[in-house]
Amino acid sequence: MTIPLDRNQTGVIVVDIQGDFTLFKHGSLAVQQTDQSYIDKVVAATKQLKSKGHKIFATQDFHPENHISFYTSHKDKTPYETIEIDGRSQILWPPHCVQGTENADILIDNTLFTAIIQKGMNPKYDSYSGFFDDNGIKTGLDNILKSHQVDTLIVYGLATDYCVKATAMDAVKSGYGVFLIEELCKGVSEDTTESALKEMISAGIKIKIFDQVFERNKKRNQTVK
Ligand code: VGL
Ligand code: ZN
């Protein structure tokens, strides 16, 4: 499959680069290797893509304080336990990205974004994906991308095995071509990150390093295989 990296058609989705998911900000759900150098790389890559004319979209995990995904919302539960809710399995996380708290903020200059898509606001449903919540309700991301004539996406962020995977997989299902920038993604655990990458490759997602996308993209009208 050859996907044109035309800057008008190719948008960028920066997934959940928020304080609570980083060691850098001592987040409540800090993902491994999310130190300052990781955030610096994500910021630099995002600025470079923006300067090449790509539209940048961000997702933001944005929960009410009684959210169903928090272990504190359930009696006698501990962090990282999995429970069944209405036939769905739900991992119980430490409270994170609570609306109005500093660590819910996105750690990238917000003026770079064409739009920020918030998710996980319904207290009853989780939403790893930036496209749909666990109740199948659309977030608005698909309509926003379509209104900007985007048909191809460069995706990176946190966490590889949860929100990045869910967002990238739903992007493919929604008809977008998807490139994932591997080193700009970090996962919660090694084994789930490895299986997430395999699943994404099987779904047709192209795993790249940033320089591969960016170098090719310097030359106009060029394509990446
Ligand atoms: C995420 C767990 C809970 C993520 C969000 O951004 O990957 N993970 N909420
Ligand atoms: Zn969450």
Side-chain angles (χ1 to χ4, degrees):
M1 179 175 53
T2 304
I3 297 177
L5 282 184
D6 184 289
R7 57 191 168 169
N8 293 323
Q9 299 179 135
T10 302
V12 176
I13 302 184
V14 183
V15 179
D16 297 7
I17 298 291
Q18 296 169 257
D20 266 336
F21 296 126
T22 69
L23 294 166
F24 175 48
K25 290 286 183 187
H26 309 285
S28 61
L29 184 32
V31 176
Q32 42 145 2
Q33 296 169 33
T34 54
D35 51 8
Q36 179 156 14
S37 78
Y38 166 72
I39 297 300
D40 289 348
K41 273 183 217 152
V42 168
V43 168
T46 307
K47 285 184 181 161
Q48 271 182 296
L49 289 163
K50 175 82 177 178
S51 73
K52 285 289 154 191
H54 296 288
K55 286 180 179 150
I56 318 288
F57 303 86
T59 63
Q60 182 180 29
D61 215 33
F62 207 57
H63 300 308
E65 62 187 1
N66 61 342
H67 194 251
I68 195 160
S69 74
F70 298 168
Y71 81 93
T72 47
S73 300
H74 305 266
K75 204 170 169 282
D76 299 329
K77 295 292 171 193
T78 52
Y80 305 102
E81 247 186 89
T82 302
I83 62 167
E84 291 283 315
I85 303 169
D86 297 335
R88 288 173 287 115
S89 80
Q90 172 72 55
I91 303 176
L92 297 179
W93 304 101
H96 61 276
C97 302
V98 173
Q99 296 169 13
T101 64
E102 203 181 321
N103 262 355
D105 289 352
I106 297 175
L107 305 175
I108 299 173
D109 174 6
N110 284 198
T111 64
L112 292 174
F113 303 130
T114 298
I116 295 174
I117 292 82
Q118 298 180 321
K119 62 189 179 66
M121 280 100 79
N122 186 330
K124 290 189 178 151
Y125 292 96
D126 211 352
S127 187
Y128 294 155
S129 165
F131 286 88
F132 306 96
D133 73 9
D134 285 358
N135 193 29
I137 303 296
K138 277 184 160 192
T139 58
L141 177 56
D142 186 54
N143 284 338
I144 291 168
L145 294 172
K146 290 210 163 78
S147 75
H148 289 278
Q149 286 81 46
V150 170
D151 61 14
T152 305
L153 292 166
I154 295 169
V155 177
Y156 51 84
L158 300 170
T160 320
D161 36 0
Y162 294 97
C163 293
V164 171
K165 177 182 112 175
T167 300
M169 296 293 282
D170 276 349
V172 169
K173 280 178 209 150
S174 304
Y176 298 89
V178 180
F179 292 90
L180 187 94
I181 313 298
E182 189 172 358
E183 80 279 17
L184 299 180
C185 300
K186 301 292 176 192
V188 171
S189 90
E190 251 170 61
D191 50 342
T192 48
T193 297
E194 202 178 307
S195 58
L197 289 171
K198 282 184 186 152
E199 222 180 295
M200 289 190 274
I201 291 166
S202 304
I205 294 164
K206 303 289 172 196
I207 313 288
K208 300 282 174 189
I209 60 166
F210 183 67
D211 286 348
Q212 287 174 309
V213 170
F214 193 68
E215 283 300 313
R216 305 267 193 137
N217 205 19
K218 276 183 185 165
K219 300 169 196 154
R220 290 187 70 182
N221 302 323
Q222 191 140 13
T223 58
V224 167
K225 282 206 177 96

